[in-house]
Amino acid sequence: MFTGLFSKNDDVSTNNCGLQTSVDLNKAFPRVGTFGDEQMRNAAIIVSIGQEMRVPPRGWVIAVATAIQESYLNNVGHLGEANDHDSLGLFQQRPSQGWGTPAQIMDPRYSSRKFYEKLMTVPGWEGAPLTTAAQRVQRSAYPNAYARHENVATTIVNTITDGGARAAGNSVDMRCVLGAEISASGWTSPVLGEIVSGFRTASRPTHHGVDIGAPRGAEIHAASAGRVIQMRCDARTSDGRPWGCGRDGSPSIKGCGWYVDILHAGGIITRYCHMGAPPKVSIGQTVTAGQLLGQVGSTGNSSGPHLHFEVHRDGDRSSAGAIEPGRFMREMGAPLGDGKP
């Protein structure tokens, strides 16, 4: 695994990298979609409490997404017979379950603090799928509903903090945004190294990913939480005969070599090619962000050790579904090519 980039004593709320991360609750925030002034202010309170408690930005996104699902960012009072038991407030916390008194729970600052206190007790919450982390806190009857709000929650956090949930362009070091190895939106670079070949360049128009240079044996990590949907050896000669992945390939060999496909929330698929040995995951396995998948190698269509990394949208693993990985990962707060192998 990657080592942590910050110590527990680092203040992830301070601005060391040109990003505004200290929320000014006296300002008006732009609307995001159908979320108006009051809802954006409630989201800003959630983020500001996370900052006060030195919760990494990933926690802000999880908290905002949870509040969207539970109350649509409205500080909901008791609804009489329409109420879900005695649930109250932004997070629909229940006095009968020990969250506090009704008056306390109706205070957005108090309810946000209680949410974060419980979240921070969940082992591995930063790398877990948002739904998993939120459900461990909320114990909802609809545990899979949280994930659908992850993208808009990230946008809201970015709007409130001027980009605190993502990198602000190529020049920003990933460590400046994360406060940890996983970005606020739940993504991380799969391997440290420079991009040595780009996406669909003039000389390689059918290159549907990017190549990241790294030494043989370097660890490859899941870019985000998800489920393994493919793991196999793909290496064959130009006439279709099996070449195998027990030896290096070459530019004349076809295929990805040992590779893994992972399906993430929102229909995003990532692909990791040319591993030097069988991957350390299996089809159907759920993985967390940053989990070890395998090691860099040079199997399949490869001229030397590197990771070929692809990103696909809408669950489409064909070339038609491929999108530019560098731009996508920058938007997710985990830019590629920021570290040397």
Side-chain angles (χ1 to χ4, degrees):
M1 295 292 292
F2 296 147
T3 57
L5 299 176
F6 281 71
S7 73
K8 293 183 178 179
N9 293 323
D10 286 319
D11 185 352
V12 300
S13 299
T14 57
N15 180 352
N16 295 319
C17 306
L19 293 174
Q20 176 187 324
T21 58
S22 180
V23 174
D24 179 4
L25 295 177
N26 294 315
K27 66 179 282 189
F29 298 99
R31 296 174 65 96
V32 173
T34 59
F35 295 96
D37 295 343
E38 187 64 26
Q39 292 156 309
M40 290 297 292
R41 177 171 173 75
N42 285 333
I45 292 172
I46 292 171
V47 173
S48 70
I49 294 299
Q51 293 174 339
E52 288 179 15
M53 297 175 67
R54 298 190 177 185
V55 176
R58 176 62 175 162
W60 314 343
V61 173
I62 293 172
V64 171
T66 301
I68 292 173
Q69 172 60 26
E70 298 295 349
S71 68
Y72 208 68
L73 288 173
N74 293 303
N75 196 28
V76 181
H78 196 275
L79 301 177
E81 293 183 358
N83 216 70
D84 180 13
H85 303 288
D86 57 342
S87 304
L88 298 168
L90 290 176
F91 297 93
Q92 290 292 278
Q93 295 159 339
R94 299 177 62 186
S96 63
Q97 292 184 345
W99 287 96
T101 67
Q104 287 175 323
I105 292 173
M106 287 299 296
D107 177 354
R109 294 180 61 85
Y110 174 90
S111 61
S112 299
R113 185 172 296 277
K114 297 301 287 187
F115 178 88
Y116 286 125
E117 286 174 356
K118 185 63 180 293
L119 176 66
M120 299 298 283
T121 68
V122 176
W125 67 268
E126 288 179 83
L130 185 147
T131 288
T132 300
Q135 173 64 1
R136 291 289 299 276
V137 177
Q138 297 294 104
R139 305 294 183 184
S140 171
Y142 305 98
N144 296 322
Y146 299 111
R148 66 187 180 189
H149 305 299
E150 185 162 4
N151 289 340
V152 69
T154 300
T155 300
I156 288 172
V157 170
N158 281 329
T159 300
I160 290 168
T161 62
D162 288 349
R166 58 170 165 76
N170 291 327
S171 64
V172 177
D173 191 319
M174 181 174 68
R175 292 170 297 180
C176 294
V177 188
L178 307 188
E181 62 195 46
I182 309 298
S183 76
S185 55
W187 290 77
T188 187
S189 182
V191 69
L192 293 180
E194 298 294 331
I195 295 178
V196 295
S197 184
F199 176 78
R200 293 177 181 167
T201 61
S203 61
R204 303 181 72 187
T206 61
H207 191 234
H208 305 304
V210 296
D211 292 343
I212 305 173
R216 189 183 300 273
E219 293 185 345
I220 299 169
H221 300 263
S224 188
R227 176 171 55 87
V228 177
I229 57 174
Q230 184 63 275
M231 185 285 291
R232 71 184 184 97
C233 168
D234 176 25
R236 57 197 183 282
T237 61
S238 58
D239 59 4
R241 289 178 293 131
W243 176 264
C245 295
R247 52 179 169 170
D248 280 357
S250 74
S252 64
I253 298 299
K254 307 297 182 181
C256 253
W258 281 117
Y259 80 98
V260 169
D261 285 352
I262 299 176
L263 175 63
H264 309 279
I268 296 296
I269 293 173
T270 53
R271 176 171 293 171
Y272 313 76
C273 295
H274 309 310
M275 295 184 184
K280 298 184 179 297
V281 292
S282 57
I283 294 175
Q285 180 178 343
T286 298
V287 297
T288 59
Q291 183 167 332
L292 179 65
L293 301 179
Q295 282 83 33
V296 168
S298 188
T299 56
N301 180 237
S302 174
S303 59
H306 70 282
L307 170 66
H308 174 84
F309 179 64
E310 296 182 10
V311 178
H312 295 247
R313 64 186 174 191
D314 301 326
D316 184 356
R317 285 189 279 175
S318 72
S319 59
I323 59 177
E324 207 281 294
R327 178 178 178 180
F328 175 84
M329 293 296 285
R330 285 195 301 274
E331 292 174 350
M332 293 299 104
L336 302 173
D338 277 8
K340 295 189 180 294

